[in-house]
Coordinates of all heavy atoms in Angstrom, one line a residue:
M22 N -8.0 73.2 33.5 CA -8.3 73.6 34.9 C -9.7 73.1 35.2 O -10.6 73.1 34.4 CB -8.2 75.1 35.0 CG -8.0 75.5 36.5 SD -7.7 77.3 36.6 CE -9.4 77.8 36.6
D23 N -9.9 72.8 36.5 CA -11.1 72.3 37.0 C -12.2 73.4 37.0 O -12.0 74.5 37.5 CB -10.9 71.8 38.4 CG -12.2 71.0 38.9 OD1 -13.3 71.3 38.4 OD2 -12.0 70.1 39.8
H24 N -13.3 73.1 36.3 CA -14.3 74.2 36.2 C -15.1 74.5 37.5 O -15.6 75.5 37.7 CB -15.3 73.9 35.0 CG -14.8 74.2 33.7 ND1 -15.2 75.3 33.0 CD2 -13.7 73.7 33.0 CE1 -14.5 75.4 31.9 NE2 -13.6 74.4 31.8
R25 N -15.1 73.5 38.3 CA -15.7 73.7 39.7 C -14.8 74.7 40.4 O -15.3 75.5 41.2 CB -15.8 72.4 40.4 CG -16.9 71.5 39.9 CD -16.8 70.1 40.5 NE -15.5 69.5 40.1 CZ -15.2 68.3 40.5 NH1 -15.9 67.6 41.2 NH2 -14.0 67.8 40.1
L26 N -13.5 74.6 40.2 CA -12.6 75.6 40.9 C -12.9 77.0 40.4 O -13.0 78.0 41.1 CB -11.2 75.2 40.5 CG -10.1 76.0 41.2 CD1 -10.1 75.9 42.7 CD2 -8.7 75.5 40.8
L27 N -13.1 77.1 39.1 CA -13.5 78.4 38.4 C -14.7 79.1 39.0 O -14.7 80.3 39.1 CB -13.6 78.2 36.9 CG -13.6 79.4 36.0 CD1 -12.4 80.2 36.2 CD2 -13.8 79.0 34.6
E28 N -15.6 78.2 39.5 CA -16.8 78.8 40.0 C -16.6 79.4 41.4 O -17.4 80.3 41.8 CB -17.9 77.7 40.1 CG -18.5 77.4 38.8 CD -19.4 76.2 38.8 OE1 -20.0 75.9 39.9 OE2 -19.6 75.6 37.7
I29 N -15.6 79.0 42.1 CA -15.4 79.5 43.5 C -14.4 80.5 43.6 O -14.3 81.2 44.6 CB -15.2 78.3 44.5 CG1 -13.9 77.5 44.1 CG2 -16.4 77.4 44.6 CD1 -13.4 76.6 45.2
I30 N -13.5 80.7 42.6 CA -12.5 81.7 42.7 C -13.0 83.0 42.2 O -13.8 83.1 41.4 CB -11.2 81.3 42.0 CG1 -11.5 81.0 40.5 CG2 -10.5 80.1 42.7 CD1 -10.2 80.7 39.7
A31 N -12.4 84.1 42.8 CA -12.8 85.4 42.4 C -11.5 86.3 42.3 O -10.5 85.9 42.9 CB -13.8 86.0 43.5
C32 N -11.7 87.4 41.7 CA -10.6 88.3 41.5 C -10.2 88.8 42.9 O -11.0 89.2 43.7 CB -11.1 89.5 40.7 SG -9.9 90.9 40.6
P33 N -8.9 88.8 43.2 CA -8.4 89.3 44.5 C -8.5 90.8 44.7 O -8.4 91.3 45.8 CB -7.0 88.8 44.6 CG -6.6 88.7 43.2 CD -7.8 88.3 42.4
V34 N -8.7 91.5 43.6 CA -8.7 92.9 43.7 C -10.2 93.4 43.9 O -10.4 94.2 44.8 CB -8.2 93.6 42.4 CG1 -8.2 95.1 42.5 CG2 -6.8 93.0 42.1
C35 N -11.1 92.9 43.1 CA -12.5 93.4 43.2 C -13.5 92.4 43.6 O -14.7 92.7 43.8 CB -12.9 94.0 41.8 SG -13.1 92.8 40.6
N36 N -13.0 91.1 43.8 CA -13.9 90.0 44.2 C -14.9 89.7 43.1 O -15.9 89.0 43.4 CB -14.6 90.3 45.5 CG -13.9 89.8 46.7 OD1 -13.2 88.8 46.6 ND2 -14.0 90.5 47.8
G37 N -14.6 90.1 41.9 CA -15.5 89.8 40.8 C -15.2 88.5 40.2 O -14.3 87.8 40.5
K38 N -16.1 88.2 39.2 CA -15.9 86.9 38.5 C -14.7 87.0 37.5 O -14.5 88.0 36.9 CB -17.2 86.6 37.7 CG -17.5 85.2 37.5 CD -18.9 85.0 37.0 CE -19.3 83.6 36.8 NZ -18.5 82.9 35.8
L39 N -14.1 85.8 37.4 CA -12.9 85.8 36.4 C -13.3 84.9 35.2 O -14.0 84.0 35.4 CB -11.7 85.2 37.2 CG -11.1 86.0 38.3 CD1 -10.1 85.2 39.1 CD2 -10.5 87.2 37.8
N40 N -12.8 85.3 34.1 CA -13.0 84.5 32.9 C -11.7 83.8 32.6 O -10.6 84.3 32.4 CB -13.3 85.5 31.7 CG -14.7 86.1 31.9 OD1 -15.6 85.4 32.1 ND2 -14.7 87.4 31.7
Y41 N -11.9 82.4 32.4 CA -10.7 81.6 32.1 C -10.5 81.5 30.6 O -11.4 81.2 29.9 CB -11.0 80.2 32.7 CG -9.9 79.2 32.4 CD1 -8.6 79.5 32.6 CD2 -10.2 77.9 32.0 CE1 -7.6 78.6 32.4 CE2 -9.2 77.0 31.8 CZ -7.9 77.3 32.0 OH -6.9 76.4 31.8
I42 N -9.3 81.9 30.2 CA -8.9 81.9 28.8 C -8.0 80.7 28.7 O -6.8 80.7 29.0 CB -8.2 83.2 28.4 CG1 -9.0 84.4 28.8 CG2 -8.0 83.1 26.9 CD1 -10.4 84.5 28.2
Q43 N -8.6 79.6 28.1 CA -7.8 78.3 28.1 C -6.6 78.4 27.2 O -5.5 77.9 27.5 CB -8.8 77.2 27.6 CG -8.2 75.8 27.9 CD -9.3 74.8 27.8 OE1 -10.5 75.0 27.4 NE2 -9.0 73.6 28.3
D44 N -6.8 79.1 26.1 CA -5.6 79.2 25.1 C -4.4 79.8 25.8 O -3.3 79.5 25.5 CB -6.0 80.2 23.9 CG -7.0 79.5 23.0 OD1 -7.4 78.3 23.3 OD2 -7.5 80.2 22.1
K45 N -4.6 80.8 26.6 CA -3.5 81.6 27.2 C -3.2 81.1 28.6 O -2.2 81.6 29.2 CB -3.9 83.1 27.2 CG -4.0 83.7 25.9 CD -4.2 85.2 26.0 CE -4.2 85.8 24.6 NZ -4.5 87.3 24.7
Q46 N -4.1 80.2 29.2 CA -3.9 79.8 30.5 C -3.9 81.0 31.5 O -2.9 81.2 32.3 CB -2.6 79.0 30.7 CG -2.7 77.6 30.1 CD -3.7 76.7 30.8 OE1 -3.5 76.3 31.9 NE2 -4.8 76.3 30.1
E47 N -4.9 81.8 31.3 CA -5.0 83.0 32.2 C -6.4 83.2 32.7 O -7.4 82.7 32.0 CB -4.6 84.3 31.3 CG -3.2 84.4 31.1 CD -2.8 85.7 30.3 OE1 -3.6 86.2 29.5 OE2 -1.7 86.1 30.4
L48 N -6.5 83.9 33.8 CA -7.9 84.2 34.3 C -8.0 85.7 34.2 O -7.1 86.5 34.7 CB -8.0 83.8 35.8 CG -8.1 82.3 35.9 CD1 -7.7 81.9 37.4 CD2 -9.5 81.8 35.7
I49 N -9.0 86.2 33.5 CA -9.1 87.6 33.2 C -10.2 88.2 34.1 O -11.3 87.7 34.2 CB -9.4 87.8 31.7 CG1 -8.0 87.5 31.0 CG2 -9.9 89.1 31.4 CD1 -8.1 87.6 29.5
C50 N -9.9 89.4 34.6 CA -10.9 90.3 35.3 C -11.1 91.5 34.3 O -10.2 92.2 34.1 CB -10.4 90.7 36.6 SG -11.6 91.9 37.4
K51 N -12.3 91.5 33.8 CA -12.6 92.6 32.9 C -12.8 94.0 33.7 O -12.7 95.0 33.0 CB -13.8 92.3 32.1 CG -13.5 91.2 31.1 CD -14.7 90.9 30.2 CE -14.4 89.9 29.1 NZ -15.6 89.5 28.3
I52 N -13.1 93.9 34.9 CA -13.3 95.1 35.7 C -11.9 95.8 35.9 O -11.8 97.0 35.7 CB -14.0 94.8 37.0 CG1 -15.4 94.3 36.7 CG2 -14.1 96.0 37.9 CD1 -16.1 93.5 37.9
D53 N -11.0 95.0 36.3 CA -9.6 95.6 36.6 C -8.7 95.5 35.4 O -7.6 96.1 35.5 CB -9.0 94.8 37.7 CG -9.8 94.9 39.0 OD1 -10.2 96.0 39.4 OD2 -10.1 93.8 39.6
N54 N -9.1 94.9 34.3 CA -8.2 94.7 33.1 C -6.9 94.0 33.5 O -5.9 94.4 33.1 CB -7.9 96.0 32.5 CG -8.9 96.4 31.4 OD1 -9.7 95.5 31.0 ND2 -9.0 97.6 31.1
L55 N -7.1 92.9 34.4 CA -5.9 92.2 34.8 C -6.1 90.7 34.3 O -7.2 90.2 34.2 CB -5.8 92.2 36.3 CG -5.4 93.5 36.9 CD1 -5.5 93.4 38.5 CD2 -4.0 94.0 36.5
A56 N -4.9 90.1 34.0 CA -4.9 88.7 33.6 C -4.0 88.0 34.6 O -2.8 88.3 34.8 CB -4.4 88.5 32.2
F57 N -4.6 87.0 35.4 CA -3.9 86.2 36.3 C -3.4 85.0 35.7 O -4.2 84.3 35.0 CB -4.7 86.0 37.5 CG -5.2 87.2 38.2 CD1 -6.4 87.8 37.9 CD2 -4.4 87.8 39.2 CE1 -6.8 88.9 38.5 CE2 -4.9 89.0 39.9 CZ -6.1 89.5 39.5
P58 N -2.1 84.6 35.9 CA -1.6 83.4 35.3 C -2.2 82.1 35.9 O -2.5 82.1 37.1 CB -0.1 83.5 35.5 CG 0.1 84.3 36.7 CD -1.1 85.3 36.7
V59 N -2.3 81.0 35.1 CA -2.6 79.7 35.6 C -1.4 78.9 35.4 O -1.0 78.6 34.2 CB -3.9 79.1 35.0 CG1 -4.1 77.7 35.5 CG2 -5.1 80.0 35.2
R60 N -0.7 78.4 36.5 CA 0.5 77.7 36.3 C 0.3 76.2 36.7 O -0.1 76.0 37.9 CB 1.6 78.3 37.1 CG 2.0 79.7 36.6 CD 3.2 80.3 37.3 NE 3.4 81.6 36.8 CZ 3.6 82.7 37.7 NH1 3.7 82.5 39.0 NH2 3.7 83.9 37.2
D61 N 0.5 75.3 35.8 CA 0.3 73.9 36.1 C -1.1 73.6 36.7 O -1.3 72.8 37.6 CB 1.4 73.4 37.1 CG 2.8 73.5 36.5 OD1 2.9 73.3 35.3 OD2 3.7 73.8 37.3
G62 N -2.1 74.3 36.1 CA -3.4 74.2 36.5 C -3.8 74.9 37.8 O -5.0 74.7 38.3
I63 N -2.9 75.6 38.3 CA -3.2 76.3 39.6 C -3.2 77.8 39.3 O -2.3 78.4 38.9 CB -2.1 76.0 40.7 CG1 -2.1 74.5 41.0 CG2 -2.3 76.8 41.9 CD1 -0.9 73.9 41.7
P64 N -4.4 78.4 39.7 CA -4.5 79.8 39.4 C -3.7 80.6 40.5 O -3.7 80.3 41.6 CB -6.0 80.2 39.7 CG -6.7 78.9 40.0 CD -5.6 77.8 40.2
V65 N -2.9 81.6 39.9 CA -2.1 82.4 40.8 C -2.8 83.8 40.9 O -2.7 84.6 40.1 CB -0.7 82.6 40.2 CG1 0.2 83.5 41.0 CG2 0.0 81.3 39.9
L66 N -3.6 83.8 42.0 CA -4.4 85.0 42.2 C -3.7 86.1 43.0 O -4.2 86.4 44.1 CB -5.8 84.6 42.8 CG -6.6 83.7 41.9 CD1 -7.9 83.3 42.6 CD2 -6.9 84.3 40.5
L67 N -2.7 86.6 42.5 CA -1.9 87.6 43.2 C -1.8 88.8 42.3 O -1.4 88.7 41.1 CB -0.5 87.1 43.5 CG -0.4 85.9 44.4 CD1 1.0 85.3 44.5 CD2 -0.9 86.2 45.8
E68 N -2.1 90.0 42.9 CA -2.2 91.2 42.0 C -0.8 91.5 41.4 O -0.7 91.9 40.3 CB -2.6 92.3 42.9 CG -3.0 93.6 42.1 CD -3.5 94.7 43.0 OE1 -3.6 94.5 44.2 OE2 -3.6 95.8 42.4
N69 N 0.3 91.2 42.2 CA 1.6 91.5 41.7 C 2.1 90.5 40.6 O 3.2 90.6 40.0 CB 2.6 91.7 42.8 CG 2.8 90.5 43.7 OD1 2.1 89.5 43.5 ND2 3.7 90.6 44.6
E70 N 1.4 89.4 40.4 CA 1.7 88.4 39.4 C 0.9 88.6 38.1 O 1.1 88.0 37.1 CB 1.4 87.0 39.9 CG 2.3 86.5 41.1 CD 3.7 86.1 40.6 OE1 3.8 85.7 39.4 OE2 4.6 86.1 41.4
A71 N -0.1 89.4 38.2 CA -1.0 89.6 37.1 C -0.4 90.6 36.1 O 0.4 91.4 36.5 CB -2.4 90.2 37.6
R72 N -0.9 90.4 34.9 CA -0.4 91.4 33.9 C -1.7 92.3 33.5 O -2.8 91.8 33.6 CB 0.2 90.8 32.7 CG -0.8 90.1 31.8 CD -0.1 89.4 30.6 NE -1.1 88.7 29.8 CZ -1.7 89.2 28.8 NH1 -1.5 90.5 28.4 NH2 -2.6 88.6 28.1
V73 N -1.4 93.5 33.1 CA -2.4 94.4 32.7 C -2.8 94.1 31.2 O -1.9 94.0 30.4 CB -2.0 95.9 32.9 CG1 -3.1 96.8 32.4 CG2 -1.6 96.1 34.3
L74 N -4.1 94.0 31.0 CA -4.5 93.7 29.6 C -4.4 94.9 28.7 O -4.7 96.0 29.1 CB -6.0 93.2 29.7 CG -6.3 91.9 30.3 CD1 -7.8 91.7 30.4 CD2 -5.6 90.7 29.5
A75 N -4.1 94.6 27.5 CA -4.2 95.7 26.5 C -5.6 95.9 26.2 O -6.5 95.0 26.4 CB -3.4 95.2 25.2
A76 N -5.9 97.1 25.7 CA -7.3 97.5 25.5 C -8.1 96.5 24.6 O -9.2 96.2 24.9 CB -7.4 98.9 24.9
E77 N -7.4 96.1 23.5 CA -8.1 95.1 22.6 C -8.4 93.8 23.2 O -9.3 93.1 22.8 CB -7.4 95.0 21.3 CG -6.0 94.4 21.4 CD -4.9 95.4 21.6 OE1 -5.2 96.6 22.0 OE2 -3.7 95.1 21.3
E78 N -7.6 93.4 24.2 CA -7.8 92.1 24.8 C -9.0 92.1 25.8 O -9.5 91.0 26.1 CB -6.5 91.7 25.7 CG -5.4 91.3 24.8 CD -4.2 90.9 25.7 OE1 -3.6 91.8 26.3 OE2 -3.9 89.7 25.7
S79 N -9.3 93.2 26.3 CA -10.4 93.2 27.3 C -11.8 93.3 26.6 O -12.8 93.2 27.3 CB -10.3 94.4 28.3 OG -10.3 95.6 27.5
R80 N -11.9 93.4 25.3 CA -13.1 93.4 24.6 C -13.6 91.9 24.6 O -12.8 91.0 24.5 CB -13.0 93.9 23.2 CG -12.9 95.4 23.2 CD -13.1 95.9 21.8 NE -12.3 97.2 21.6 CZ -11.3 97.3 20.8 NH1 -10.9 96.4 20.0 NH2 -10.6 98.5 20.7
P81 N -14.9 91.7 24.5 CA -15.5 90.4 24.5 C -15.1 89.6 23.2 O -14.9 90.2 22.2 CB -17.0 90.5 24.6 CG -17.3 92.0 24.6 CD -16.0 92.8 24.6
Ligands
ZN20 ZN1 -11.1 92.4 39.5

């Protein structure tokens, strides 16, 4: 995914910064404990498409 894109996108729930997890192709919001999928390089920033992170996943 384009890193310039990563700089301009924000969590749709809290407007916070998202962390891109390349291995999982997910964008993570640590505030909301949500992981948004990245499909074919396109971030799907929809709350109803996100999955809730398990407690151990939200640790740094
Ligand atoms: Zn958020």
Side-chain angles (χ1 to χ4, degrees):
M22 201 175 82
D23 192 332
H24 279 255
R25 285 167 300 180
L26 187 61
L27 191 58
E28 285 171 25
I29 58 166
I30 57 176
C32 173
V34 181
C35 69
N36 269 328
K38 207 168 184 295
L39 294 168
N40 291 312
Y41 179 45
I42 310 299
Q43 197 160 8
D44 290 355
K45 293 185 177 178
Q46 291 291 296
E47 284 179 336
L48 289 159
I49 284 177
C50 176
K51 288 184 179 176
I52 296 162
D53 300 308
N54 271 342
L55 291 173
F57 299 92
V59 178
R60 295 190 186 129
D61 299 323
I63 298 164
V65 182
L66 296 178
L67 299 171
E68 193 181 353
N69 61 358
E70 294 280 336
R72 72 181 178 89
V73 178
L74 292 173
E77 64 269 18
E78 286 183 290
S79 59
R80 285 195 210 117

